[in-house]
Amino acid sequence: MLGAFLDCVDLWARSVETQLKSLCAPSPDWHQAAAAIEVLCVGAAIGGKIKPDATVADMIDAAFSTTWPSECASTAPEMRALYDKIAGARDRIASIAHAQIASMKGGRAGPMLNPGKIVGPVRDLRQAKWRLRFIPPNDDRNEPAKTYREVKAMLGAAADAEMGVRQVWLNAMEGAFGEAATRASILSTLDAARAAVADAGIGANNSSKQLAEALDRLRLVQFDESLTAARTLAKQEDGVAALPYYGRGRRNAVEAGTALVAATQAFLDAVDQNLGTNSQSLDAKHAALDESLARIDTSLAAIENDLLEMTAPKGAHADAA
């Protein structure tokens, strides 16, 4: 009985092994381990872990890093949603990839990654300019097929949306502060403007306080780095191929710059309005003064005539009669 049972266990084990190998076996359209690596690399690039000039070794380290940021630097909702999706499945996908491409030699944290199985997919992804190449089986709803399918469908639109948002923001910053503007020059100019308005006694309502708060916010972010990243990205023609550039810059810097433009415009509008009000008030005062002077002139002329009549010789009056 025991021998028969052991024989059955052996048959079952071989059957399970065969099925697992069949599931994991690569085909021209689908390679589970390579697909997992591609998704991890895309997520690492969006998260800023992979730089535009990264080597293959850098990309591998970033893909399997456990220190991805909780949020990406992107501003477009489409790109943020894409990153959140990959980051949410990262641990499961990394475990699958690690299990299939690990060598038997142990390292400090378990089996080592087999370079022969991982370098090729990473190089292929770079040569494909970050476009996902595989087609997951339609009936496969497990990882990494599920996330791979969704990422592939979302990537193009997300990249275009993010590139558009960065371009609009860059145009707004350069339109408001000039093409050569830096954080230091912006802070210096607007601080001086606030001081000049205050010294001149020109009211700015609450906009001066709001501008001061926006300037303080700008002081705390890496604004120049975000400007440089946006300018570099603006030179790229392919949104997907520019994927590593989306991780550069800081979302808080983008938001701080946008808030500063709005605060600056409100401040200038308030100052302009108060200048106009003061000018109208002065014009009205000048008009009233001119009218008063005219009345005074008329009164003085009448008084002068009366005095002349009072001081004229009596004979003159008789002759006149």
Side-chain angles (χ1 to χ4, degrees):
M1 290 288 294
L2 180 58
F5 176 74
L6 293 176
D7 289 340
C8 288
V9 170
D10 185 56
L11 290 174
W12 293 336
R14 292 180 182 179
S15 176
V16 170
E17 182 181 359
T18 300
Q19 293 179 49
L20 289 175
K21 288 182 177 179
S22 177
L23 289 172
C24 299
S27 68
D29 293 332
W30 180 242
H31 190 302
Q32 193 177 68
I37 294 169
E38 287 188 357
V39 170
L40 293 174
C41 285
V42 168
I46 299 173
K49 300 290 288 184
I50 296 178
K51 298 180 180 180
D53 58 350
T55 64
V56 171
D58 293 334
M59 293 176 65
I60 295 172
D61 288 341
F64 288 92
S65 171
T66 57
T67 59
W68 284 14
S70 58
E71 294 183 344
C72 63
S74 298
T75 304
E78 296 88 342
M79 186 61 80
R80 293 169 62 180
L82 178 59
Y83 179 75
D84 291 343
K85 180 177 292 295
I86 299 175
R90 196 209 73 84
D91 290 343
R92 298 191 300 275
I93 295 175
S95 296
I96 293 171
H98 202 284
Q100 294 190 26
I101 60 179
S103 66
M104 296 305 296
K105 287 188 176 181
R108 289 176 295 178
M112 296 173 55
L113 296 175
N114 188 336
K117 295 181 178 180
I118 192 172
V119 171
V122 172
R123 284 178 175 169
D124 291 343
L125 179 62
R126 287 208 310 187
Q127 291 176 359
K129 296 183 178 180
W130 294 91
R131 283 174 168 77
L132 304 188
R133 303 164 293 130
F134 296 110
I135 303 175
N138 293 328
D139 58 348
D140 190 347
R141 295 294 182 267
N142 300 313
E143 297 293 3
K146 177 179 179 298
T147 299
Y148 189 95
R149 185 183 297 108
E150 294 171 349
V151 171
K152 186 175 183 178
M154 298 170 62
L155 183 56
D160 291 341
E162 183 63 25
M163 180 171 280
V165 168
R166 299 282 184 106
Q167 185 63 62
V168 169
W169 180 78
L170 178 62
N171 291 341
M173 295 304 104
E174 292 184 342
F177 306 122
E179 295 184 0
T182 63
R183 184 179 65 174
S185 65
I186 292 171
L187 292 173
S188 175
T189 300
L190 293 180
D191 280 336
R194 287 186 63 251
V197 169
D199 293 342
I202 302 172
N205 303 328
N206 194 44
S207 63
S208 181
K209 178 182 178 182
Q210 294 174 349
L211 178 58
E213 293 173 349
L215 289 170
D216 289 340
R217 184 179 177 185
L218 190 73
R219 289 184 174 92
L220 301 176
V221 299
Q222 298 179 7
F223 182 75
D224 291 347
E225 180 183 348
S226 296
L227 269 181
T228 300
R231 287 166 178 155
T232 302
L233 187 59
K235 300 175 183 177
Q236 308 301 312
E237 298 180 355
D238 187 337
V240 176
L243 204 62
Y245 291 95
Y246 299 128
R248 301 180 63 195
R250 295 292 182 270
R251 189 194 308 172
N252 59 356
V254 172
E255 294 171 349
T258 301
L260 181 60
V261 170
T264 301
Q265 188 61 56
F267 174 76
L268 294 176
D269 289 344
V271 171
D272 184 62
Q273 181 180 0
N274 287 328
L275 282 174
T277 301
N278 291 340
S279 176
Q280 292 175 2
S281 177
L282 289 174
D283 289 343
K285 290 179 179 178
H286 287 160
L289 180 60
D290 290 341
E291 185 179 351
S292 297
L293 290 174
R295 288 198 300 267
I296 291 172
D297 286 341
T298 301
S299 298
L300 289 174
I303 292 172
E304 182 180 9
N305 290 333
D306 291 341
L307 290 174
L308 288 174
E309 291 180 0
M310 292 173 61
T311 58
K314 294 182 178 180
H317 289 290
D319 294 340

